[in-house]
Amino acid sequence: MTRTIIAIAGASASGKSLFSQTIYNELVNELEPGAIAVIEEDAYYKDQSHLPFDHRTQTNYDHPEAFEHELMCKHLTQLRNGKAVEVPTYDYAQHTRSDKTRTVMPAQILIVEGILLLSDKALRKEFDIKVFIDTPLDICLMRRMQRDMEQRGRTLQSVVEQYQATVRPMFYQFIEPSKHKADLVVTRGGMNRVAIDIIKSKIKYLLQE
Ligand SMILES: Nc1ncnc2c1ncn2[C@@H]1O[C@H](COP(=O)(O)OP(=O)(O)O)[C@@H](O)[C@H]1O
Ligand SMILES: Nc1ccn([C@@H]2O[C@H](COP(=O)(O)O)[C@@H](O)[C@H]2O)c(=O)n1
């Protein structure tokens, strides 16, 4: 059986999750059970439970070193080879992994979304289709402020400080240059109906092959 792994990359709050979830939600009931699955790169942030909370707040979460990309690569290879994996789950409020894992079965179509997927050479090799969500950074910042305060337990001050110290500089160092590794660059992210339909058609075509 041929399996296809699709990467959805882009800045934080660019709309990667919305884009991925829209494709998943619109296809999941049309396809055979278990044909499509989604994995988040954020699940592979390193475990920091051994560090005091104050230290965890100082981590640069936008640098490749913050992730356990080796484990992610290993899991993607296992999924491609038809094996189920236990994906970690992440707690943004605690800045570390939670105790639970999530079992992901080897789907024929696997969508993977995350900020640094295309900047890592080893990870890039795992992807059959590479998409970059290209959203202006000021729009990402506005969305991130709202989301991080509502859903990730952050204050306005902490979002602004983190944005200046790491999020913005790491975007220009790692994420923006990785756009050129993409097969498709998508504007308007999760609201780009044409782009969503193109990926959906490609998935349906692959499943018919
Ligand atoms: N095109 C869009 N228009 C309006 N809001 C959007 C759009 N894309 C995403 N959002 C909203 O912005 C926030 C961040 O989007 P999300 O998909 O979680 O970003 P990412 O996964 O890239 O971090 C969410 O609240 C989401 O609903
Ligand atoms: N403890 C953490 C871990 C990550 N972040 C931020 O999350 C962003 C990536 O997730 P998206 O859903 O926004 O793509 C990344 O920019 C990290 O700064 C965090 O704030 N705290």
Side-chain angles (χ1 to χ4, degrees):
M1 180 192 285
T2 310
R3 298 178 199 277
T4 302
I5 308 183
I6 305 172
I8 312 291
S12 171
S14 59
K16 304 178 298 296
S17 306
L18 186 62
F19 190 78
S20 308
Q21 284 303 326
T22 304
I23 292 168
Y24 176 84
N25 291 336
E26 292 183 10
L27 283 178
V28 69
N29 293 323
E30 265 186 59
L31 306 179
E32 295 285 319
I36 184 164
V38 179
I39 292 185
E40 297 83 24
E41 184 189 29
D42 289 10
Y44 294 88
Y45 271 117
K46 284 179 181 163
D47 183 52
Q48 300 194 116
S49 51
H50 57 291
L51 295 177
F53 184 82
D54 283 355
H55 288 219
R56 290 184 230 155
T57 60
Q58 302 306 312
T59 301
N60 179 349
Y61 292 102
D62 293 80
H63 191 280
E65 278 297 306
F67 291 92
E68 203 177 340
H69 277 154
E70 305 77 22
L71 180 64
M72 190 177 198
C73 268
K74 188 177 153 195
H75 281 179
L76 295 181
T77 305
Q78 286 174 326
L79 288 164
R80 196 187 283 284
N81 291 333
K83 297 196 180 83
V85 297
E86 290 299 318
V87 173
T89 56
Y90 193 72
D91 184 338
Y92 295 96
Q94 293 303 318
H95 301 284
T96 192
R97 284 188 193 163
S98 4
D99 297 335
K100 297 186 193 110
T101 57
R102 176 170 77 95
T103 306
V104 175
M105 303 302 288
Q108 249 179 293
I109 303 291
L110 180 64
I111 300 176
V112 187
E113 62 98 353
I115 54 173
L116 291 170
L117 296 178
L118 303 187
S119 67
D120 183 305
K121 196 173 176 186
L123 261 184
R124 257 197 330 266
K125 285 191 189 143
E126 301 288 338
F127 305 128
D128 304 291
I129 300 172
K130 299 183 278 291
V131 178
F132 189 95
I133 306 294
D134 197 11
T135 304
L137 217 47
D138 58 336
I139 293 178
C140 295
L141 174 60
M142 283 190 296
R143 289 183 192 157
R144 181 166 165 139
M145 281 174 175
Q146 193 170 7
R147 181 198 63 192
D148 283 8
M149 288 194 290
E150 284 173 7
Q151 296 170 25
R152 296 190 180 178
R154 307 294 165 87
T155 61
L156 177 61
Q157 190 187 347
S158 79
V159 178
V160 171
E161 282 175 5
Q162 187 187 6
Y163 180 80
Q164 287 175 322
T166 54
V167 180
R168 188 175 183 278
M170 296 300 106
F171 171 81
Y172 286 113
Q173 188 173 341
F174 295 107
I175 303 174
E176 210 271 342
S178 78
K179 177 163 72 174
H180 306 287
K181 306 288 182 188
D183 303 305
L184 285 174
V185 175
V186 171
T187 56
R188 303 189 308 285
M191 296 294 176
N192 189 329
R193 185 31 62 190
V194 172
I196 289 166
D197 287 343
I198 286 172
I199 300 292
K200 281 173 63 186
S201 303
K202 177 71 177 171
I203 289 173
K204 287 186 194 173
Y205 172 79
L206 287 165
L207 291 173
Q208 277 164 15
E209 267 187 338

